[in-house]
Amino acid sequence: QVRLVESGGGSVQTGGSLRLSCAVSIYTSSTYCMAWFRQTPGKKRQGVATIDSNGRTMYADSVKGRFTASQDNAKKTLSLQMNSLKPEDTAMYYCAADRKLWLGCGIERDVDYYNFWGQGTQVTVSS
């Protein structure tokens, strides 16, 4: 069982930055696919960034060049640095983990294929 706890959300103006963190209860390096998703009311949760078992990252087109995902294995922490924020980045952000590496760890991996989720942290970007 993996427990995930997000933090770092808040309200910022357009162009601002936020850094989200996800505390992970176990060591997941090399054995889990880790990801950040976001969701707005009435819409399906969408992948924002993934980190595979080799530490490679992938991003949704909408955040490329602005968001950076990273993993500190010693601290068991997943992070998402978000720069140049836009109003359309407003959402609840979730971290996720899953051990089924044979399914791949690309950004296209669907929300239904992640077994462990945090409770989410709200990000609001005002214009």
Side-chain angles (χ1 to χ4, degrees):
Q1 194 75 2
V2 180
R3 185 165 179 257
L4 306 169
V5 180
E6 302 95 336
S7 61
S11 297
V12 296
Q13 292 188 326
T14 297
S17 297
L18 281 173
R19 186 176 181 87
L20 305 184
S21 294
C22 175
V24 186
S25 61
I26 64 171
Y27 290 104
T28 56
S29 176
S30 79
T31 57
Y32 280 78
C33 174
M34 306 297 294
W36 287 98
F37 280 75
R38 65 186 181 187
Q39 187 174 26
T40 54
K43 294 193 175 180
K44 187 174 181 178
R45 209 166 284 189
Q46 298 290 329
V48 174
T50 61
I51 301 178
D52 72 11
S53 57
N54 294 310
R56 291 177 297 216
T57 54
M58 292 186 68
Y59 299 93
D61 288 343
S62 59
V63 306
K64 280 181 183 176
R66 300 188 298 121
F67 289 15
T68 302
S70 60
Q71 187 170 15
D72 186 328
N73 297 315
K75 295 182 179 179
K76 296 187 289 183
T77 301
L78 189 69
S79 299
L80 185 68
Q81 177 66 43
M82 305 186 296
N83 298 327
S84 302
L85 283 162
K86 305 175 181 179
E88 50 264 43
D89 295 318
T90 295
M92 185 71 79
Y93 284 72
Y94 299 88
C95 62
D98 196 86
R99 287 197 70 170
K100 296 185 290 294
L101 298 179
W102 60 90
L103 295 178
C105 196
I107 195 64
E108 70 283 356
R109 180 166 172 164
D110 191 81
V111 60
D112 293 336
Y113 294 102
Y114 285 89
N115 200 26
F116 303 105
W117 292 89
Q119 83 289 349
T121 186
Q122 178 68 37
V123 171
T124 302
V125 185
S126 58
S127 57

